Amino acid sequence: MPTTQEWNEALNNLLQYDFHVDYIITHDCPFYIKELLHTRTIPCNLNDYTLPHLRNIDEVMDDIEQQVTYKL
């Protein structure tokens, strides 16, 4: 689970490039991909982090995936 500082850095980088990137490297993937793979991750305790704006990691990854465009 990323820390607040890691999330801020990632989101600031995406904003800096208007969500138009070559690729995204992450330890996790959007939830819809997990469903396609028929896998689930162990839930993380978000209370361990100061991320009040996040509902859960899957929703955030889905939101990012919907906004990102990839360079060809």
Side-chain angles (χ1 to χ4, degrees):
M1 185 70 174
T3 65
T4 300
Q5 181 179 357
E6 291 167 332
W7 269 116
N8 288 338
E9 181 179 354
L11 293 175
N12 285 333
N13 285 330
L14 287 169
L15 288 168
Q16 179 180 355
Y17 294 99
D18 199 29
F19 285 81
H20 187 69
V21 298
D22 292 318
Y23 52 86
I24 295 176
I25 298 175
T26 180
H27 71 285
D28 207 349
C29 61
F31 187 72
Y32 80 92
I33 292 176
K34 290 178 192 173
E35 288 183 319
L36 289 174
L37 298 173
H38 302 286
T39 63
R40 293 283 188 125
T41 59
I42 299 170
C44 295
N45 184 358
L46 289 179
N47 294 328
D48 292 340
Y49 296 86
T50 309
L51 300 172
H53 59 287
L54 301 180
R55 294 174 302 265
N56 70 51
I57 189 83
D58 292 324
E59 290 176 359
V60 173
M61 296 303 293
D62 286 342
D63 289 345
I64 290 172
E65 179 63 25
Q66 290 174 6
Q67 295 180 61
V68 166
T69 58
Y70 294 97
K71 298 176 184 178
L72 299 176

